[in-house]
Structure formats: C-alpha cells, structure tokens
Amino acid sequence: MCKATRHSASSGVQRSRKWLSVPRLSIKHRFNQLRSPFLRFRSWQLLRPLVKAGLHPTTQVSRAVYTRAPTRLLSRLWGLVNDVNLPRWLRRPLLSLYVWAFSVNMQEAEVEDLNRYRNLGELFRRPLKPSARTISSQYLVSPCDGQVLHCGRTHGSQIEQVKGLTYSLENFLGPQDWRDLEDVGLPFMKQLGVHLSNRLYHHVVYLAPGDYHRFHSPTDWSIQHRRHFPGSLLSVSPHVARWFPGLFCQNERVVLSGQWQFGLFSLTAVGATNVGSIHIYGDSVSIRSCGVLGNGRAELR
C-alpha cells in the first residue's frame, strides 16, 4: 500500500504544442467555446436515457443498468481497432487528433515522431525518455503518472474509495489461501500479517487516456504471489468512482502481493473501459521465485 502524495503526469514540465498549432477559425477553436462535458464522452453516458426519464444516476436501477452495458465487448472491439496498422500518410493526422484531444505531451515520449507509431495502441503504450522522470531516493515513489483519487489510512479491512464510499480489502485482494497459515479462520487483517500496532495505508491513482500508461515498481519489495481476477471493464473515472460502491472490486484486475522492509506490500492494476489488458514485464524468474522486482515494469492496454 502506498503513502499519500500527489503525482501528476505534467509536474514540472512545460507543454508546448507549436508543432500542432491550428488556425483560429478551426474546429479546435470552436470546441474551446463548448462546455467541457461536450468534449468528454464517457461510458457512463449510456445512462442518459434514464436521466431524461427522471431516474437519478445514483439509484440502484441506473447502476444495475450500467453494469449490464456491454463495456467488456466494446473494450475488446476497441482493442482490435487499436492494433490495426495505419498507412503512413494517415498516421500523423489521425494520431495528432488523439494527442490534441487528450493533451498528450509528446515532448516526454521516447519517440516524438507520430509517423513512427504504427497504430494507436503503440501511441497509447508509448515509453518515456529516461530523463522525463526523476526518481526520488525515498523509500517509496509513485508507480505511475495520474490523478490521486484517494489516499490515507485504512479503517480495519475497509478502504475508502472516495469520501463516503468504501470497499472491502478482503474482496479486493482475494483469499489468502496461498499463505502458510496455521489457522485459516483468522481475521483477514491477521491473515495479511497486519497487527493492531501496525498502520496500513492505501493510494489510488487514476490514469487518464492521455497519461503515460506504464507503471513501475514503487519500491524494492519481494513479490510472493500474483493473482488475476476476471471481471467487468467499467469506467474508473472520478465521476463513476463517486457513485459506484465497490467499483475496483468488480473490475478485472491483477493483484501483486508481497513484503517490503516494513511488512505487507501490494500493488494492484485495475482494468477499465477500453483498457482491458494488463501486461506484466520484468524479471520473470524473480516473479516466480518471489525475488525482488526492482526494475520491473508493466503496462495497461
């Protein structure tokens, strides 16, 4: 679990878009005159017909309808579209639109030339220049760019998703049957090795579509177990997280559990709408033999 702190994909970096300038009377100028909701289509907007019918989006009915929306199918189809190689003449116009729409800072990318990205998926998973991020010498660093949705100390086995909404740590991490426990009937926190004198903290980071979508090991730690949870691919945007209890427990995710110098440590990658694949890289021998993942990296697709 991570210490609370604020991290941003644009910290200390000045963005320049001179190479992507658009005339004043262009579509871009007209879009800037619109209110922001018009520019940000999210999967939860499938509920708009219910809103017009008088049902508030926080009701059980609207949540039930949203969970039955084919977000998983749509995500798989979007993944296929992302992997379609574009002809060279179409790469810059099409990828520039994505860069502009989601404020992607291409100056930080290891490859700035959009013509060298064969498809949208490669741009989405782009690596950064080695000098783009300065790694702190502290015990713990941010595993990724993004917006901190919530952070702080856990309350028993409950984690606060956003203010006023909690979810179960037991449901999120899953059963601890892989641990060598003498008594399987122990309370869940004791199964994790967390005692009353310990403090357990959590840190939730949201990656927006324009963010760098690779995440790295936040500290030196020993990975002892890896578990994949199949599930939904609902949006994890801050708007949805505010009204959907247990959202992170319902979505597909990969949980890495282990130990660091202060005890329990866990890192979980949660899938979302149009981000349906989680690829873990690094020293595969170390992962299987519970070694230290010091230079490990992974990416969301």
Side-chain angles (χ1 to χ4, degrees), residues 2-289:
C2 299
K3 184 184 296 183
T5 182
R6 166 72 190 181
H7 305 280
S8 172
S10 58
S11 299
V13 179
Q14 174 132 14
R15 300 190 177 184
S16 173
R17 297 185 191 164
K18 293 181 179 179
W19 62 276
L20 198 59
S21 59
V22 183
R24 180 174 177 81
L25 297 179
S26 65
I27 296 178
K28 178 179 178 180
H29 173 67
R30 296 183 182 277
F31 272 16
N32 287 336
Q33 297 175 349
L34 298 176
R35 291 182 300 170
S36 57
F38 287 98
L39 301 179
R40 297 194 300 267
F41 177 81
R42 300 187 182 94
S43 56
W44 61 266
Q45 290 179 325
L46 295 169
L47 300 176
R48 281 188 179 276
L50 292 178
V51 176
K52 292 182 178 180
L55 294 175
H56 197 272
T58 59
T59 62
Q60 292 183 352
V61 174
S62 59
R63 282 198 294 265
V65 171
Y66 179 56
T67 56
R68 286 164 176 77
T71 54
R72 192 174 185 86
L73 175 61
L74 294 175
S75 298
R76 298 307 181 198
L77 293 175
W78 180 247
L80 294 175
V81 172
N82 276 356
D83 291 334
V84 174
N85 290 337
L86 301 172
R88 193 172 184 84
W89 61 269
L90 187 59
R91 292 177 187 176
R92 178 172 290 277
L94 192 60
L95 298 181
S96 292
L97 182 61
Y98 183 89
V99 169
W100 167 75
F102 296 108
S103 301
V104 179
N105 188 355
M106 291 303 297
Q107 290 187 336
E108 295 181 339
E110 189 174 63
V111 178
E112 296 186 36
D113 185 5
L114 293 178
N115 286 325
R116 295 178 59 184
Y117 294 96
R118 295 174 298 177
N119 51 56
L120 183 57
E122 289 188 356
L123 177 63
F124 188 76
R125 303 186 298 270
R126 67 195 178 279
L128 297 183
K129 297 174 182 176
S131 59
R133 298 291 179 272
T134 301
I135 306 300
S136 172
S137 59
Q138 299 297 320
Y139 290 118
L140 198 64
V141 298
S142 174
C144 60
D145 290 348
Q147 175 187 354
V148 176
L149 292 186
H150 200 274
C151 57
R153 187 177 176 180
T154 61
H155 305 283
S157 61
Q158 294 294 311
I159 294 181
E160 198 164 32
Q161 179 171 300
V162 293
K163 188 174 182 179
L165 289 181
T166 62
Y167 59 95
S168 167
L169 187 62
E170 184 173 2
N171 292 336
F172 185 66
L173 297 180
Q176 302 298 299
D177 48 9
W178 56 273
R179 297 181 183 271
D180 187 15
L181 299 174
E182 295 181 359
D183 184 3
V184 294
L186 289 173
F188 186 71
M189 297 301 286
K190 289 189 175 181
Q191 292 183 33
L192 296 176
V194 178
H195 305 286
L196 294 177
S197 59
N198 299 133
R199 294 182 179 181
L200 188 63
Y201 294 87
H202 70 282
H203 196 169
V204 181
V205 184
Y206 165 69
L207 279 70
D211 285 333
Y212 169 65
H213 264 72
R214 299 188 180 197
F215 56 95
H216 303 258
S217 178
T219 189
D220 287 334
W221 62 303
S222 174
I223 299 178
Q224 299 173 334
H225 189 259
R226 177 175 53 185
R227 172 168 283 164
H228 171 240
F229 289 84
S232 303
L233 288 174
L234 306 177
S235 172
V236 294
S237 69
H239 181 92
V240 176
R242 282 194 292 267
W243 66 267
F244 201 107
L247 174 64
F248 304 136
C249 297
Q250 184 159 337
N251 270 15
E252 183 171 0
R253 60 196 183 279
V254 173
V255 178
L256 302 176
S257 301
Q259 297 285 322
W260 70 324
Q261 59 179 318
F262 300 111
L264 171 71
F265 197 95
S266 180
L267 175 66
T268 302
V270 180
T273 305
N274 295 335
V275 187
S277 298
I278 303 169
H279 292 256
I280 306 293
Y281 297 91
D283 187 350
S284 58
V285 176
S286 295
I287 292 175
R288 286 194 293 266
S289 62

